[in-house]
Amino acid sequence: MSGEKDLEQIKREAAQKAKELAKQRQAAKQAGEGNDPKEVADKVAEPEVKETETKAEAPAGEDAELAKKKAAAAAKAKAAALAKMKANAQSEEAQEPKKEVSAPVEGQDAELAKKKAAAAAKAKAAALAKMKATGQVEENAEVETPAATEASAGDDDDLAKKKAAAVAKAKAAAAAKRKAQAEAGGEADAPAGDDDDLAKKKAAAVAKAKAAAAAKRKAQEAGGGADASTGDDDDLAKKKAAAVAKAKAAAAAKAKAAAGGGSADDEKAKAIAAAKAKAAAAAKAKAAAGAKAGAEEPVEEKKPSPNQPYLDKYVKAITDNLGDDILEDSYINSLSKDVPTLVAKKESYYRLAEFLKYNELLGFDYLSELHGTDFQTHMEVYVHLYSYKNRQSVALKVKLDRDAPVTKSVQPLWAGADWPECEAYDLLGIKFEGHPNLHRIMLGEDWVGHPLRKDYEPYDVEV
Amino acid sequence: MIRTEEMLLNVGPQHPSTHGVFRLVLKIDGEIIVEAKPVIGYLHRGTEKLAEDLQYTQIIPYTDRMDYVSAMTNNYVIVHAVETMMGLQVPERAEYLRILAMELNRVASHLLWWGTFILDFGATSPLLYAFRDREMILNLLNELSGARLTFNYMRVGGVKWDAPEGWIEKVADFVPYLRGQLKGYHQLVSGNEIFLNRTKNIGTYSKEDAINYSLSGPNLRSTGVKWDLRKDEPYSIYDRFDFDVVTREEGDALARYHVRMGEIVESLKIIEQAVQQFPKDGEIIAKVPKIIKAPKGEAFVRIEGSRGEIGCYISSDGKKEPYRLKFRRPSFYNLQILPKLLEGESISNLIAILGAVDIVLGEVDG
């Protein structure tokens, strides 16, 4: 007797514990969102952007060559900051050349700018290589694809886009080269070929820098007589300014960190710089995406699905017989072999299921699959039905309240829904009202929590 | 007067004729089963939970361990789901290799069932014949994939290994060999009076019940529903082959026996045609990104496995891991009808009824 009580007690406590943990986690998450690097970056970057905008205008009057080089240097610096962010903790070697980056923005001397650009490029290459070594090849792949698409969507009028594409292309090329080198080098080369490798990397970086510079020049030429920084092309100027600001910020942060020497300071500065770089990159990507979308939109035209008539038929039958207050949504799921999909309103789920089974026209007599999914905003039950009479499929879905997921059981309609509903209850905690024997079919009745929920915390009495 | 009273009888979880870790709690009155309560979950490994942290290619070996008797079809369902979402075109040669692998595996699976089903009645020698011939298939699949049971052979976009030299010829030779053996099987078992007594009119259900209980595969076709996803919703290149969907009208254990035996013949037909059409050369895997990412959205696909419909639902948020993965496991659905079949039956028929459903517990428990 007391033993049973104890068990109950333990269970309740465990449930409480799991809940609290989940709450804590959520709170932590929210707090984390509050510290979103983008937001921080926006806040910090704002004033500086303005400041540098004026600065960026200055070189317009000066030698065009100088401006070009400067811009290239700035771009490089930005790239370096980005790479840094990625390489993050283990970038002690990369830090060395990065310190030199601090000046390029103010640098008036062309020679100096050039040198600095090279240094930055080197740093970036090193960071990238490192990153790759840690197994994040994925990033490269991601760089490659947008490069290809953006390049192909090249629009002469759109200066910003072209520039972005050219830069991305150069980057991709460099990455590919490096990759090829790494592959060709093999493991045998590793110990002896250190210097060789470095040289190669340097060469690649220089090539990249060159490509970027060329792209810039081209972009400026395309801009025609209008000077980029005189405000004719606002976009370009802004972007340039942003890049400069970013580089500057990164450099400043670095300098500060170097001066302070404290690891905490260093980290903070790094974080701020990284956040800034990220925000700028995001803005750039957005701009590029916008430009791309504008170019491609009219080309894509969807063919109507062969299953569209079926969906129309189902929707019509439902609205004719049950009214319009049944469906929340209905669409063709093109990813899933064009299956007509009906989303029922919470309270009409069972009525709709009943209708789908017994209506003469529809006759969905076979339940192929039933399961739930925790979408974090809501809980969803997915039912795949089939009609042997009409040889047609339909997917029926219903969205439930995540905190108290309850719906009516469809077991009385399809006996085959019995165990799947038990499984959904067991693993996700969805309660099916009217189910004759809803129990924990897989895990056993003494299990605490529902593992397929995204906030699940494993519970162990002994831990 | 004989006085009887109800008693509880526990079958399993460790019992040879449950073909795995499956427990039945029976309430019996004399020799008549009053109520049967299946208890499952002993082999639940949380595949779906694990998959949420795995890349799509890493999930494939887990599918081997669901229906470990017919792992090729399980392999196929996950890659097929991802390919459907990505809209990938699979190279010809890969498609043929997949078909050959899946159909060989289906034959192996049915052979294993044949041997063990009859073993449950006490006939030991058919098992040895079945395993001898199944062994030849496992050897073929071993040459192809490097494993006898857990193949891990399919990949998103194609297959992992090309057929080794001479493999296709070996498969071609195997088909007539097994056809000859099948004659022997029928002579040995199909007309045997004891066998007939133990299967005919045992565990009968109607077409309506089969559909209502979501049965699929031979369990469904034994009631006369002509339904085979290979034929009715063709996937891969099944529409290129000429084969029949074997059905029976009786709906008893014997009907299920004949449907499975007939399916071996049909699978051999498909294998024979695939060998003839097999492309001389070509790619075995499509050009796919190194990191496979299914596009944002969801998909549910179903294919015809050895035991029925295998389904795979993927909900993706565009990352390299699925947001949610769900397998429709045919044995799990097929087993639901068991309590209904056992009610009122004599306890001596329990094993025949359970055996005829053809379950694999790895698949039941997921």
Side-chain angles (χ1 to χ4, degrees):
Chain A
M1 187 68 183
S2 67
E4 262 174 48
K5 247 185 195 167
D6 278 356
L7 190 65
E8 279 300 305
Q9 187 82 27
I10 289 170
K11 258 202 226 176
R12 230 176 290 132
E13 276 171 14
Q16 193 67 34
K17 202 168 133 195
K19 240 184 223 167
E20 266 170 33
L21 254 169
K23 255 187 211 161
Q24 273 171 20
R25 266 211 328 196
Q26 205 154 3
K29 224 194 237 165
Q30 272 164 5
E33 272 163 22
N35 283 334
D36 189 43
K38 264 187 212 166
E39 272 178 36
V40 174
D42 282 349
K43 273 180 218 154
V44 184
E46 199 88 6
E48 269 177 29
V49 169
K50 271 180 205 152
E51 189 190 328
T52 39
E53 240 172 331
T54 50
K55 258 192 191 163
E57 275 171 47
E62 291 172 32
D63 192 350
E65 196 66 28
L66 185 67
K68 228 187 280 161
K69 259 170 214 153
K70 231 175 173 177
K76 278 294 94 142
K78 176 190 159 198
L82 251 167
K84 180 85 186 269
M85 180 181 85
K86 269 170 201 156
N88 219 350
Q90 11 99 304
S91 65
E92 258 170 16
E93 290 150 74
Q95 263 179 38
E96 284 298 321
K98 208 64 77 56
K99 272 169 199 156
E100 290 170 9
V101 177
S102 48
V105 194
E106 290 96 28
Q108 308 280 324
D109 193 311
E111 199 62 32
L112 190 67
K114 219 189 202 167
K115 225 193 276 165
K116 261 170 203 155
K122 224 192 286 174
K124 187 195 165 186
L128 253 169
K130 210 183 225 166
M131 191 176 86
K132 212 165 143 201
T134 54
Q136 298 177 0
V137 196
E138 202 190 339
E139 297 297 330
N140 277 333
E142 267 171 317
V143 170
E144 267 171 37
T145 29
T149 43
E150 277 170 32
S152 68
D155 190 341
D156 275 28
D157 290 344
D158 205 321
L159 201 63
K161 204 166 114 196
K162 200 164 157 197
K163 205 160 104 187
V167 169
K169 216 172 169 181
K171 239 189 226 168
K177 212 167 175 185
R178 209 168 322 119
K179 214 169 163 185
Q181 278 169 3
E183 264 163 25
E187 278 156 38
D189 270 1
D194 240 357
D195 281 11
D196 191 22
D197 232 340
L198 192 68
K200 262 185 211 160
K201 247 179 242 161
K202 241 192 231 164
V206 167
K208 201 162 64 184
K210 248 187 213 163
K216 202 136 223 182
R217 205 176 317 129
K218 228 185 193 168
Q220 268 173 7
E221 273 163 20
D227 196 314
S229 48
T230 52
D232 198 308
D233 196 328
D234 258 356
D235 227 342
L236 180 67
K238 243 185 229 161
K239 221 173 279 162
K240 231 176 177 176
V244 170
K246 219 179 319 140
K248 195 172 155 195
K254 252 299 144 51
K256 205 167 150 197
S263 65
D265 260 12
D266 187 26
E267 244 170 56
K268 220 197 253 162
K270 243 193 247 170
I272 289 171
K276 236 181 240 179
K278 205 165 148 193
K284 205 168 164 189
K286 219 168 159 187
K292 208 167 98 193
E296 279 176 10
E297 221 163 277
V299 186
E300 254 184 67
E301 205 172 300
K302 259 195 178 170
K303 270 188 209 156
S305 155
N307 282 341
Q308 188 66 43
Y310 293 108
L311 178 66
D312 295 342
K313 184 180 124 187
Y314 304 154
V315 173
K316 187 171 180 301
I318 291 160
T319 44
D320 284 355
N321 289 284
L322 299 176
D324 350 317
D325 207 29
I326 296 290
L327 288 177
E328 194 177 298
D329 197 4
S330 67
Y331 56 91
I332 294 279
N333 188 349
S334 57
L335 281 182
S336 180
K337 299 190 173 178
D338 281 346
V339 66
T341 308
L342 305 170
V343 186
K345 285 193 174 155
K346 219 180 295 176
E347 53 286 350
S348 49
Y349 163 67
Y350 183 81
R351 269 178 72 206
L352 180 57
E354 198 176 26
F355 179 75
L356 288 173
K357 175 164 186 186
Y358 291 115
N359 183 273
E360 299 260 307
L361 273 167
L362 309 174
F364 287 103
D365 47 2
Y366 184 76
L367 180 134
S368 169
E369 159 76 356
L370 185 149
H371 69 258
T373 305
D374 177 9
F375 278 108
Q376 277 162 309
T377 50
H378 61 273
M379 202 66 93
E380 189 176 276
V381 176
Y382 179 100
V383 186
H384 192 93
L385 301 172
Y386 188 77
S387 163
Y388 277 111
K389 202 174 73 184
N390 300 324
R391 306 254 144 175
Q392 255 301 311
S393 290
V394 74
L396 169 64
K397 304 210 287 188
V398 62
K399 290 172 181 167
L400 306 173
D401 181 17
R402 187 170 181 268
D403 297 323
V406 183
T407 187
K408 264 189 142 180
S409 167
V410 292
Q411 193 273 344
L413 302 175
W414 297 279
D418 186 341
W419 286 11
E421 284 187 350
C422 288
E423 199 185 10
Y425 164 69
D426 192 359
L427 303 179
L428 283 151
I430 300 171
K431 290 197 175 64
F432 294 92
E433 281 176 343
H435 190 288
N437 181 25
L438 198 65
H439 65 291
R440 281 184 174 269
I441 192 163
M442 293 294 177
L443 304 175
E445 292 303 331
D446 54 353
W447 194 274
V448 178
H450 304 281
L452 279 181
R453 286 179 67 104
K454 296 285 177 181
D455 57 358
Y456 174 68
E457 288 288 342
Y459 167 71
D460 193 335
V461 203
E462 287 165 16
V463 179
Chain B
M1 212 173 80
I2 303 165
R3 192 181 63 86
T4 62
E5 63 179 53
E6 279 185 6
M7 66 175 275
L8 277 177
L9 178 69
N10 187 57
V11 183
Q14 276 83 28
H15 188 282
S17 53
T18 56
H19 302 280
V21 272
F22 171 60
R23 182 172 162 220
L24 261 174
V25 183
L26 300 175
K27 203 183 271 177
I28 51 175
D29 184 2
E31 287 206 341
I32 303 300
I33 299 167
V34 179
E35 195 193 327
K37 215 179 115 216
V39 182
I40 61 169
Y42 293 96
L43 215 55
H44 181 69
R45 292 146 296 181
T47 308
E48 289 157 12
K49 177 76 180 169
L50 291 167
E52 287 175 10
D53 294 322
L54 295 170
Q55 297 176 16
Y56 290 105
T57 316
Q58 293 175 318
I59 301 168
I60 298 168
Y62 284 83
T63 64
D64 286 332
R65 284 145 184 87
M66 282 195 315
D67 179 354
Y68 40 77
V69 180
S70 177
M72 281 293 182
T73 45
N74 294 14
N75 271 195
Y76 183 73
V77 77
I78 171 100
V79 297
H80 181 51
V82 180
E83 283 161 9
T84 306
M85 289 182 90
M86 293 172 76
L88 267 182
Q89 199 66 38
V90 180
E92 284 267 296
R93 194 177 169 88
E95 290 278 28
Y96 277 100
L97 282 168
R98 283 176 173 190
I99 297 271
L100 283 172
M102 281 196 283
E103 292 308 318
L104 281 172
N105 207 180
R106 191 187 311 272
V107 173
S109 166
H110 283 347
L111 283 178
L112 177 97
W113 171 81
W114 183 79
T116 52
F117 181 56
I118 294 155
L119 181 69
D120 287 347
F121 300 138
T124 41
S125 34
L127 178 85
L128 301 174
Y129 295 126
F131 267 63
R132 181 192 59 196
D133 294 339
R134 174 172 172 267
E135 191 63 24
M136 299 179 76
I137 298 178
L138 294 190
N139 283 339
L140 285 171
L141 293 176
N142 192 8
E143 279 181 40
L144 189 64
S145 67
R148 285 163 44 84
L149 277 181
T150 50
F151 306 109
N152 190 16
Y153 180 58
M154 313 260 183
R155 291 291 181 275
V156 174
V159 295
K160 177 71 179 157
W161 311 105
D162 203 347
E165 218 171 294
W167 189 78
I168 295 291
E169 289 72 26
K170 279 186 198 164
V171 175
D173 292 344
F174 175 73
V175 173
Y177 165 78
L178 192 65
R179 280 200 182 123
Q181 291 299 114
L182 278 175
K183 275 190 201 128
Y185 289 2
H186 281 298
Q187 274 170 6
L188 191 65
V189 175
S190 302
N192 184 297
E193 195 170 335
I194 302 169
F195 172 73
L196 288 178
N197 276 332
R198 302 221 35 193
T199 52
K200 209 166 182 182
N201 294 326
I202 301 295
T204 312
Y205 48 80
S206 67
K207 188 191 276 189
E208 288 70 32
D209 276 344
I211 291 174
N212 192 25
Y213 276 88
S214 296
L215 301 191
S216 55
N219 288 304
L220 178 64
R221 290 191 280 273
S222 69
T223 61
V225 181
K226 210 173 170 75
W227 172 251
D228 189 318
L229 284 162
R230 290 175 293 171
K231 202 89 175 172
D232 295 283
E233 284 180 8
Y235 51 92
S236 189
I237 48 167
Y238 274 111
D239 48 354
R240 298 186 193 175
F241 304 112
D242 175 33
F243 66 100
D244 293 323
V245 178
V246 184
T247 58
R248 280 270 166 160
E249 297 297 328
E250 301 88 349
D252 57 1
L254 184 62
R256 270 159 262 160
Y257 170 88
H258 281 298
V259 168
R260 291 200 178 94
M261 292 306 271
E263 280 189 9
I264 296 180
V265 177
E266 297 307 317
S267 286
L268 290 177
K269 268 196 212 169
I270 297 175
I271 293 168
E272 200 172 37
Q273 293 168 54
V275 165
Q276 280 162 10
Q277 297 172 18
F278 193 72
K280 291 235 156 25
D281 40 28
E283 294 289 315
I284 56 157
I285 190 155
K287 284 214 180 336
V288 288
K290 265 202 180 139
I291 305 283
I292 286 152
K293 289 177 182 170
K296 212 172 162 168
E298 57 180 3
F300 175 69
V301 300
R302 41 186 199 157
I303 65 155
E304 191 71 36
S306 306
R307 284 166 187 76
E309 262 180 53
I310 311 176
C312 180
Y313 168 90
I314 294 177
S315 174
S316 165
D317 50 2
K319 296 209 181 83
K320 52 186 190 289
E321 305 95 0
Y323 181 80
R324 165 91 162 99
L325 182 74
K326 173 81 172 74
F327 288 109
R328 183 217 198 260
R329 310 175 309 272
S331 292
F332 178 68
Y333 281 79
N334 289 347
L335 198 54
Q336 289 187 81
I337 201 171
L338 191 68
K340 182 183 152 66
L341 294 183
L342 290 180
E343 219 179 280
E345 275 290 343
S346 159
I347 199 165
S348 60
N349 287 332
L350 162 70
I351 298 305
I353 292 171
L354 178 61
V357 178
D358 185 15
I359 50 165
V360 167
L361 266 304
E363 192 176 58
V364 172
D365 293 340

